Amino acid sequence: MSFKKKAINGFSWTIFEGIFSQGSVFLVGIVLARLLSPKDFGLVGIITAIITVANSVVEAGFGTALIRKIDATENDFNTVFYTNLLTACVLYFILYITAPSIASFFETPSLNELIKVSGVVLIINAVSLIQRTLLTKILEFKKLGFIAIISSIISGAIAIFMAYSNFEIWSLIAFFILRPFITTILLWLFASWIPKLIFSLESFKELFDYGYKLLIGNLINTAYKNAYYFIIGKFFTPIALGFYTRADQFQTPFSTNIAVAIRRISFPILSNFQNDQKNLKAKFVQFMRYSMFLNFTIMLSIAAMAEPIILLLIGEKWRQSIIYLQLLCIPGLLYPLQILHLNLLLVKGYSNLNLKLEIIKKIILVPIILVTINYSIKHMIWGLVIFSIIEYFINSFYTKKIIKYDLKNQIKDAIPFILIALTTSSVMYAISYLTNLPYHLLVLLQLITGLFVFLITNEVFKTNEYLTMKVKVITIFKKIKDGK
């Protein structure tokens, strides 16, 4: 299979994975939200934030360094494997002994035991990092997609069974642990790599020289992404954090799914063109336009449907999450583009610049948090919206310097997708005021109308991305019709 076909196939499988695996997670979340309380979700939100930050230290940028290194050797893979595993064990030990202090900080004693159990995820993830990296490096996204789907379905089914069996918050913890555990088992079965007793100090130094700046940058970025979980959990209540968590988890599967697809596919592909400026720019612009085509309409449509989908799917007790979800869709709209800009820096080897940018951006974020925290969670999210826009302008500035793709041209490329998304979401939002239908019929009507308006507006603008996808869909249907 040619490199181009592998890339297209890989993108398709990554989206497929996102739809089914993230869809499974989304459905599990809906079922659990009906059975459990906002406080339960708030506590797991705190744990997730802690583990996510620690996990970025375990990865340490080595996975990215291995993907970028065209001639990575067996020495490199084994060295990274043992480094990650040792780091994970040390961090889990630290987390275990500090769990009582963390619980005391959040004034929630139950966090002590929950953190001690959940922390094992660090070791589970470290054991499978090389297998995942290898499959990503050779664009084997079909296998990665299959693994993600199976692990999501099995772990979700177990979590739902536990919730119905009155295990309460432990059903969420089980889902949190079982999903990566099953993923790790499947990665070891599907990837043909097994560690050997090899450790190269030379490999460590080479990969760490690139990865440590990425580690610090990722650590800062991960801490920032989870800062609201820590702050809301500390200065408000676990219940308030539960409302924020559910709102975030309604938009995250969509924006993150597209961002993950773009990151997974773009990094190895752009890395192959890192010394070919013309093709590098062409591929980057292509990824940007596809991100806009998919994500703009999805995010604004979710915002338009926020009230009926929350009240229909998880109930009246989560009404406070509606406005949070609508606001969070704005940063979610820009998130895949942010990832793509940062990928370009890493592809070109500017891990030091990536680090500097992360520090600068987070310095800007601090006063925004300090001001908005004195008002409400809603004000804090508005601060996040403002920051995401500032962040995009900073990231895009260096894209201009690297591949001569300035902000003016980026906006020019974005205009048709913005107009399509605004038209589609505005019609969907207006429907909720024009009818008094039950929520399930309202959601159905909004989806059907939104799809119709989306297709009509795309036919008007005739973007290359839409026309390409249209041809692919027609081809698939013809093959099905012909029985091929």
Side-chain angles (χ1 to χ4, degrees):
M1 187 184 294
S2 69
F3 189 80
K4 181 178 179 181
K5 286 184 177 180
K6 270 192 172 184
I8 294 172
N9 188 52
F11 185 79
S12 301
W13 264 100
T14 303
I15 293 295
F16 178 79
E17 170 201 331
I19 292 172
F20 284 91
S21 69
Q22 292 296 328
S24 300
V25 173
F26 185 69
L27 291 174
V28 170
I30 289 172
V31 175
L32 295 180
R34 286 186 166 276
L35 297 172
L36 305 177
S37 69
K39 182 179 179 180
D40 291 332
F41 278 87
L43 292 176
V44 173
I46 294 171
I47 294 168
T48 301
I50 293 169
I51 300 299
T52 302
V53 172
N55 206 56
S56 67
V57 178
V58 174
E59 203 278 338
F62 284 121
T64 304
L66 286 172
I67 293 172
R68 183 178 180 273
K69 186 176 180 181
I70 297 173
D71 57 345
T73 65
E74 191 67 19
N75 283 356
D76 296 325
F77 291 119
N78 281 280
T79 299
V80 171
F81 176 81
Y82 290 112
T83 301
N84 287 335
L85 185 57
L86 177 61
T87 305
C89 291
V90 171
L91 282 177
Y92 176 58
F93 175 74
I94 294 172
L95 199 59
Y96 191 92
I97 62 175
T98 58
S101 299
I102 296 172
S104 176
F105 175 79
F106 286 103
E107 300 176 359
T108 310
S110 59
L111 274 176
N112 178 20
E113 190 175 1
L114 294 172
I115 290 172
K116 288 178 178 178
V117 174
S118 303
V120 74
V121 168
L122 294 173
I123 299 173
I124 293 171
N125 286 334
V127 169
S128 62
L129 189 140
I130 295 299
Q131 286 82 354
R132 184 185 299 276
T133 299
L134 280 167
L135 291 176
T136 301
K137 192 176 178 68
I138 60 175
L139 305 182
E140 282 286 357
F141 296 105
K142 183 176 181 179
K143 289 182 179 179
L144 288 170
F146 178 78
I147 289 168
I149 292 167
I150 295 300
S151 60
S152 298
I153 292 173
I154 294 175
S155 58
I158 294 172
I160 291 173
F161 173 78
M162 290 180 65
Y164 273 107
S165 301
N166 297 318
F167 280 89
E168 298 179 336
I169 194 172
W170 287 104
S171 58
L172 282 170
I173 298 298
F175 185 57
F176 183 76
I177 296 173
L178 285 173
R179 192 174 172 219
F181 178 72
I182 296 169
T183 296
T184 295
I185 292 174
L186 293 175
L187 281 170
W188 274 71
L189 291 174
F190 278 87
S192 58
W193 186 85
I194 296 176
K196 299 180 178 65
L197 291 175
I198 300 173
F199 187 90
S200 169
L201 191 58
E202 182 180 349
S203 290
F204 176 83
K205 288 179 179 178
E206 179 188 356
L207 295 169
F208 186 73
D209 185 57
Y210 175 85
Y212 87 88
K213 288 167 278 191
L214 185 58
L215 160 63
I216 300 173
N218 283 344
L219 186 58
I220 294 171
N221 191 49
T222 303
Y224 137 71
K225 284 177 63 181
N226 291 278
Y228 277 38
Y229 283 74
F230 292 122
I231 293 169
I232 294 171
K234 173 61 180 175
F235 293 96
F236 294 90
T237 64
I239 295 175
L241 178 58
F243 289 124
Y244 175 84
T245 300
R246 286 311 304 159
D248 192 38
Q249 289 171 351
F250 261 89
Q251 67 85 21
T252 295
F254 300 95
S255 62
T256 300
N257 178 32
I258 294 172
V260 167
I262 294 297
R263 181 176 61 227
R264 282 185 181 178
I265 304 298
S266 69
F267 193 80
I269 290 176
L270 295 179
S271 293
N272 278 276
F273 294 105
Q274 59 186 277
N275 299 317
D276 183 346
Q277 200 73 359
K278 182 179 178 180
N279 278 318
L280 180 62
K281 179 179 179 180
K283 295 295 180 185
F284 181 86
V285 173
Q286 190 175 26
F287 280 121
M288 281 283 289
R289 288 178 60 87
Y290 267 104
S291 297
M292 296 170 182
F293 169 68
L294 293 170
N295 203 47
F296 283 9
T297 297
I298 291 173
M299 284 294 101
L300 291 185
S301 296
I302 291 172
M305 299 171 62
E307 180 174 348
I309 59 176
I310 283 182
L311 297 182
L312 172 66
L313 296 178
I314 57 178
E316 183 68 32
K317 68 180 178 181
W318 295 95
R319 177 175 284 275
Q320 193 171 328
S321 297
I322 294 171
I323 184 62
Y324 299 165
L325 172 57
Q326 291 171 328
L327 292 175
L328 286 169
C329 283
I330 303 175
L333 184 146
L334 293 174
Y335 181 58
L337 304 183
Q338 311 279 25
I339 293 295
L340 192 53
H341 282 294
L342 295 178
N343 260 5
L344 182 63
L345 291 178
L346 301 178
V347 163
K348 295 295 288 184
Y350 298 139
S351 57
N352 55 339
L353 179 58
N354 176 70
L355 173 57
K356 290 177 183 177
L357 287 180
E358 290 305 323
I359 293 173
I360 291 170
K361 288 184 291 187
K362 275 44 180 188
I363 289 174
I364 295 172
L365 177 64
V366 170
I368 293 176
I369 291 177
L370 292 177
V371 171
T372 57
I373 196 176
N374 295 302
Y375 296 94
S376 66
I377 297 175
K378 183 178 175 181
H379 284 86
M380 290 182 67
I381 300 175
W382 270 116
L384 186 60
V385 169
I386 294 169
F387 174 74
S388 67
I389 296 170
I390 295 172
E391 184 179 27
Y392 183 83
F393 279 103
I394 293 173
N395 290 337
S396 63
F397 175 78
Y398 285 94
T399 300
K400 173 187 175 182
K401 286 183 171 293
I402 295 171
I403 58 172
K404 311 301 181 187
Y405 184 43
D406 58 23
L407 184 61
K408 179 181 177 181
N409 283 309
Q410 292 176 42
I411 294 174
K412 182 180 177 181
D413 282 338
I415 286 175
F417 303 114
I418 292 173
L419 292 175
I420 291 168
L422 285 173
T423 303
T424 303
S425 60
S426 296
V427 173
M428 294 173 71
Y429 188 70
I431 288 174
S432 62
Y433 286 95
L434 298 176
T435 63
N436 291 313
L437 293 172
Y439 286 131
H440 65 283
L441 293 178
L442 176 58
V443 169
L444 182 61
L445 180 60
Q446 285 180 310
L447 286 172
I448 293 172
T449 305
L451 178 60
F452 177 76
V453 174
F454 176 73
L455 293 174
I456 293 298
T457 50
N458 271 285
E459 286 290 344
V460 172
F461 284 98
K462 295 189 183 300
T463 62
N464 289 332
E465 293 70 27
Y466 168 73
L467 294 175
T468 301
M469 188 167 290
K470 180 181 176 181
V471 170
K472 286 185 178 297
V473 172
I474 291 173
T475 302
I476 291 171
F477 275 107
K478 282 185 176 178
K479 285 183 178 180
I480 294 173
K481 183 180 178 181
D482 296 338
K484 293 182 180 180

